[in-house]
Amino acid sequence: MKSFAIALCAPSGTGKTTVARGLVAKRDDLVFSVSATTRPPRPGERSGVDYHFISRDEFQSMIDDGELLEWAEVHGELYGTPRANLDAAEQSRRKLLMDIDVQGARQVAQARPDTVTVFLLPPSTEAWLERLRERGSESDEQLQRRLETAKGELLALEEFDYAVVNERLEDAISAVEAIIEGKRQRSSHAEMEALRRKILEDLSATWP
Ligand code: ADP
Ligand code: 5GP
C-alpha cells in the first residue's frame, strides 16, 4: 500500500501541535514530521523532537542543498520540512504528519498531489484567544504578529481538502483519523484492481 502525507494547518494557537501529537501517540501508522526552524525553542521544547532548532546559516545550507521538501518564512522565522522525513516515512510504510503553515501546505500539495490537506479551526474567537493567552509563549508583539498572519491563513481555508473544528480535542483527533481512513480506502482502490481481475478470470474459467 502506497503511503501518503497529511498536512495539518491552522492559525497559531488553534491546537494543531496538540492534535498532531495526539494523533501520533494514538496511531503507529503515523510519524510526526520534525521540521527545521530558526525560531528559538520554547521552554520544554527539545531539539530533534519538537523541531530541529538551527541557525539561519544552517537553514540556508539546507535550502541550497535541496534538502527541504518545502520551506517558508512564518512570523519572521524560517521553517521547513526535511525531505528525509518523507523518505523515512515511506520506507517504514507510515504516513508523514506535517504540522506546517499554509504556504508550506501549498508547496507540498504541488510537489506531492496525493497529500491530504486539513485545516483546523478554533471553535470561536474567544476560545482561540484564550488558548493563545494560556499557552503564554509569545510576547504581546509576537502575538499581534501571529494574529496578523492568521487573517491571511483563514482566507486560505477553501484551498484545503478538509476542515475540522478543534473544540473537544478527542473529537478533533477522531475527525482527522476518519479523514486518514477515507484517504487510505481511496488509495487502496487501485490495489483492488488485481483482485477484481483475478475474480473475473476465475468466473469466466468456471462459468465460461
Ligand atoms: P498550535 O500548534 O496550533 O499553535 P497548540 O497545539 O500549541 O497550538 O495549542 C495552543 C494551546 O491550546 C495549548 O495551550 C493547548 O494545550 C491548547 N489546546 C489545544 N487543543 C485544545 C482543545 N481542544 N481544547 C482546549 N485547549 C486546547
Ligand atoms: P510555531 O512557532 O508556533 O511552532 O509554528 C509557527 C508556524 O510555523 C505554525 O503555523 C506551524 O505549523 C508552522 N510550521 C512549523 N513547521 C513548519 C514547516 O516545516 N514548514 C512550514 N512551512 N511551516 C511550518
Side-chain angles (χ1 to χ4, degrees):
M1 159 89 181
K2 205 170 159 291
S3 109
F4 55 88
I6 301 120
L8 199 57
C9 289
S12 181
T14 300
K16 176 172 52 348
T17 309
T18 310
V19 170
R21 290 299 186 183
L23 279 161
V24 292
K26 201 171 164 192
R27 298 177 60 117
D28 55 15
D29 62 333
L30 297 180
V31 54
F32 183 74
S33 176
V34 180
S35 299
T37 184
T38 60
R39 152 167 100 58
R42 293 181 186 136
E45 281 185 333
R46 287 170 299 163
S47 197
V49 176
D50 299 289
Y51 280 106
H52 299 290
F53 296 101
I54 61 176
S55 66
R56 281 212 166 227
D57 285 348
E58 287 169 318
F59 199 99
Q60 190 58 52
S61 299
M62 290 187 84
I63 298 174
D64 295 343
D65 296 343
E67 288 177 31
L68 297 176
L69 177 65
E70 62 72 37
W71 67 274
E73 181 160 349
V74 191
H75 325 300
E77 299 287 355
L78 301 175
Y79 294 83
T81 306
R83 223 175 263 287
N85 292 2
L86 188 60
D87 297 341
E90 282 178 346
Q91 262 164 28
S92 63
R93 300 185 143 260
R94 288 185 293 169
K95 303 161 195 60
L96 188 69
L97 182 64
M98 295 172 290
D99 167 344
I100 58 178
D101 89 313
V102 168
Q103 308 169 73
R106 284 190 189 120
Q107 293 174 50
V108 178
Q110 188 138 37
R112 305 290 301 238
D114 61 343
T115 303
V116 190
T117 57
V118 182
F119 196 97
L120 212 58
L121 280 164
S124 67
T125 317
E126 297 76 46
W128 174 35
L129 296 179
E130 183 57 28
R131 284 178 196 175
L132 267 170
R133 264 193 298 270
E134 250 179 43
R135 188 172 70 186
S137 51
E138 282 85 27
S139 64
D140 281 355
E141 194 189 321
Q142 285 168 331
L143 206 59
Q144 199 54 43
R145 192 164 194 174
R146 282 173 180 253
L147 294 178
E148 277 303 316
T149 307
K151 283 190 206 162
E153 289 178 330
L154 285 164
L155 291 172
L157 176 68
E158 287 81 4
E159 296 174 36
F160 283 74
D161 296 325
Y162 297 95
V164 168
V165 178
N166 178 24
E167 182 154 26
R168 278 189 60 231
L169 183 60
E170 305 76 55
D171 294 346
I173 289 174
S174 300
V176 180
E177 285 193 281
I179 291 167
I180 294 170
E181 184 54 24
K183 169 72 180 173
R184 200 184 64 75
Q185 290 286 349
R186 204 143 41 94
S187 305
S188 63
H189 221 79
E191 286 162 25
M192 303 293 169
E193 181 51 26
L195 176 61
R196 179 177 71 161
R197 211 174 313 122
K198 174 77 173 64
I199 293 172
L200 284 172
E201 279 167 13
D202 290 347
L203 285 178
S204 26
T206 318
W207 296 284

